[in-house]
Amino acid sequence: MLYNRWVDEFAALADPTRRQIIERLAQQGSLSATEIAVQFSVSPQAISQQLKILREAKLIQMEKRAQQRIYQLNPS
């Protein structure tokens, strides 16, 4: 079971865009999906998909605040 989680985490980090998202969250703390998306030259939908993969790998967590989704690194 632990092996599968490591595989998922490493697979999620294999993509350069996802690594950059992780780096920015580490540097800047909590960011909304919009704040993350404006830092990249790809569509907001593409960033949303990358965030979903990072969430599924349990590398980041998301909190809904009104209409915003706020992302931060998963401390565990």
Side-chain angles (χ1 to χ4, degrees), residues 24-56:
R24 290 181 180 161
L25 288 172
Q27 293 169 352
Q28 300 174 21
S30 299
L31 294 169
S32 71
T34 302
E35 291 170 324
I36 295 168
V38 298
Q39 298 182 44
F40 293 90
S41 61
V42 297
S43 72
Q45 293 82 6
I47 293 300
S48 178
Q49 183 63 30
Q50 303 295 3
L51 290 167
K52 178 182 176 188
I53 292 167
L54 291 169
R55 272 194 340 265
E56 289 174 351

Side-chain angles (χ1 to χ4, degrees), residues 3-74:
Y3 173 78
N4 287 339
R5 181 167 179 197
W6 284 346
V7 170
D8 291 343
E9 290 172 353
F10 286 115
L13 291 172
D15 181 82
T17 300
R18 292 193 291 266
R19 282 195 308 273
Q20 288 177 354
I21 291 171
I22 292 288
E23 289 171 9
R24 290 181 180 161
L25 288 172
Q27 293 169 352
Q28 300 174 21
S30 299
L31 294 169
S32 71
T34 302
E35 291 170 324
I36 295 168
V38 298
Q39 298 182 44
F40 293 90
S41 61
V42 297
S43 72
Q45 293 82 6
I47 293 300
S48 178
Q49 183 63 30
Q50 303 295 3
L51 290 167
K52 178 182 176 188
I53 292 167
L54 291 169
R55 272 194 340 265
E56 289 174 351
K58 305 210 183 320
L59 294 170
I60 64 172
Q61 54 192 25
M62 182 266 296
E63 175 187 345
K64 284 181 106 175
R65 292 185 196 159
Q67 298 299 324
Q68 288 189 321
R69 286 170 164 58
I70 306 299
Y71 293 90
Q72 64 183 10
L73 292 179
N74 184 348

